[in-house]
Amino acid sequence: MSRPPLQALLGFIAAARAGNLTRAAESMHLTVSALSHQVRAIEERLDRRLFVRGARGVKLTEHGQALYDRIAPHLEAIEQALAPRRVRRDDALTLTLMPSFASSWLVPRLPRFLATHPQLEISLQSNVDPIDFARETVIDAGIRFGPGKWPGLEAVHLFDDWMTPTASPALIERLGRPTLANLSEFPLLGAPGGRWSEWFARYGGTPPARFVAIFDDSENLHRAAAEGMGIVLGRVTLARPLVEAGRLVELFDERLKTEFAHYLVYPSRSRDHRGLALFRDWLLEEAAQYATSDAMTPRVAKPARKPASRKPAPPKRRPRAVR
């Protein structure tokens, strides 16, 4: 048998990490066609399918995951050995986080941290894609919204999140305020299935036959609701700045807990980073305060109070005749 196709294996690893052939090809300076050819070469060599291809990208099959688990650690070790070493600075901290979380939650609070620790230099990198800390050695930690388990990373839980129908004041003025029963008669933003189906199953009403618009980005979804396009099943943390600015209104007391939560994640190499330790302690305090704030306290609609039953008034006695 010929030698293993090392270049093709690198392409396979890149595709598995990115979950998308286009992004993986760009990272390797290849065309998508060339990368697909490399993956097919490995599949033909092993006589196994390594990926399931879908509309939004690729996902490892059982055989693909087994191959990735066997070879990825060795390639990562080679990458780390050959990667240029940067001088470690405990007074400089580089974080990656999603743009929506940065603008809605972290950035408004960050001045308090920097005022307490003026000696620290913080660099924020906005990114919606998963970060490969083995390759991105300049990044010390990240804040992510997810299941809480990332292979090879330590994950510190910050806080959970909630969802509730949210609309702009302009839409409410134009169409009126919906009730739980007639919510589906209003323009809704989202997609069939998912959390909207859970909302209607839990709180009543009939799911709509169609949705006004579908977005694959949470920030744009909330912005569209603020512009009056429709009602969004809004995530409280992302919607809160728009609610406080008067651009969105939470329509009901009822809420759904999100499937994922917010976490601080970092590789083992950052465990003894003094700047990260200071940031982590401050972040946990801020997260604890926010989790118990009025904005994040789950609210349940109180049942309507029944009018108190009145006892029938006793019959009036006729006054006795004076004799």
Side-chain angles (χ1 to χ4, degrees):
M1 182 177 287
S2 60
R3 291 183 177 181
L6 295 181
Q7 186 64 27
L9 287 174
L10 290 173
F12 162 73
I13 291 294
R17 287 170 173 169
N20 183 285
L21 292 180
T22 301
R23 290 198 298 266
E26 290 175 352
S27 70
M28 298 191 68
H29 305 288
L30 296 173
T31 64
V32 176
S33 176
L35 179 59
S36 298
H37 180 75
Q38 291 182 354
V39 172
R40 280 198 302 271
I42 302 176
E43 290 179 329
E44 291 173 0
R45 182 186 180 99
L46 299 177
D47 193 24
R48 296 285 190 274
R49 287 191 66 185
L50 301 178
F51 291 104
V52 176
R53 292 162 176 80
R56 293 191 175 185
V58 294
K59 184 178 180 181
L60 287 170
T61 64
E62 181 181 353
H63 297 291
Q65 187 65 54
L67 179 63
Y68 179 86
D69 292 340
R70 292 190 66 180
I71 66 175
H74 301 288
L75 292 178
E76 289 172 359
I78 294 173
E79 289 173 351
Q80 290 185 23
L82 298 179
R85 297 296 176 183
R86 67 185 179 104
V87 178
R88 178 65 175 272
R89 290 179 54 192
D90 278 340
D91 62 347
L93 181 63
T94 301
L95 301 170
T96 173
L97 68 168
M98 301 183 73
S100 55
F101 185 84
S103 60
S104 65
W105 196 89
L106 182 63
V107 171
R109 292 168 170 78
L110 201 54
R112 293 199 289 268
F113 174 74
L114 294 176
T116 307
H117 303 285
Q119 77 281 7
L120 283 179
E121 174 187 309
I122 290 189
S123 173
L124 300 182
Q125 298 187 6
S126 298
N127 199 317
V128 298
D129 296 324
I131 296 299
D132 183 359
F133 284 95
R135 178 170 294 186
E136 302 289 345
T137 56
V138 70
I139 298 177
D140 300 302
I143 300 177
R144 281 293 182 263
F145 184 67
K149 292 183 179 180
W150 289 269
L153 299 180
E154 297 189 29
V156 181
H157 178 268
L158 299 177
F159 55 87
D160 299 320
D161 216 331
W162 301 86
M163 306 177 77
T164 189
T166 310
S168 70
L171 184 142
I172 297 172
E173 183 178 355
R174 187 173 75 250
L175 302 178
R177 194 180 185 105
T179 65
L180 290 173
N182 69 3
L183 177 61
S184 62
E185 299 173 11
F186 287 71
L188 303 183
L189 303 175
R195 302 312 299 276
W196 267 123
S197 292
E198 184 178 343
W199 173 271
F200 285 109
R202 180 174 298 187
Y203 295 118
T206 304
R210 61 180 293 272
F211 288 79
V212 174
I214 300 172
F215 295 84
D216 61 358
D217 176 76
S218 296
E219 188 168 17
N220 286 331
L221 179 64
H222 289 75
R223 296 287 177 185
E227 295 299 329
M229 186 180 294
I231 298 174
V232 62
L233 189 56
R235 183 136 50 92
V236 171
T237 298
L238 298 187
R240 179 52 43 178
L242 295 170
V243 171
E244 293 175 347
R247 298 189 61 195
L248 284 177
V249 176
E250 293 184 9
L251 299 173
F252 306 107
D253 286 334
E254 288 79 1
R255 291 182 175 183
L256 290 177
K257 189 175 182 181
T258 56
E259 296 175 329
F260 294 154
H262 299 274
Y263 291 86
L264 173 68
V265 298
Y266 52 89
S268 58
R269 70 166 184 269
S270 298
R271 193 176 300 156
D272 60 347
H273 191 294
R274 175 167 171 75
L276 177 59
L278 294 173
F279 179 76
R280 181 181 58 232
D281 292 344
W282 170 82
L283 188 63
L284 287 173
E285 290 181 5
E286 290 287 333
Q289 291 178 14
Y290 180 67
T292 57
S293 67
D294 179 67
M296 294 297 287
T297 302
R299 296 174 294 174
V300 178
K302 297 179 180 179
R305 295 181 60 184
K306 295 182 180 180
S309 58
R310 291 184 176 180
K311 294 183 179 180
K316 293 183 178 180
R317 294 183 177 181
R318 291 183 179 180
R320 290 184 177 182
V322 179
R323 293 181 179 178

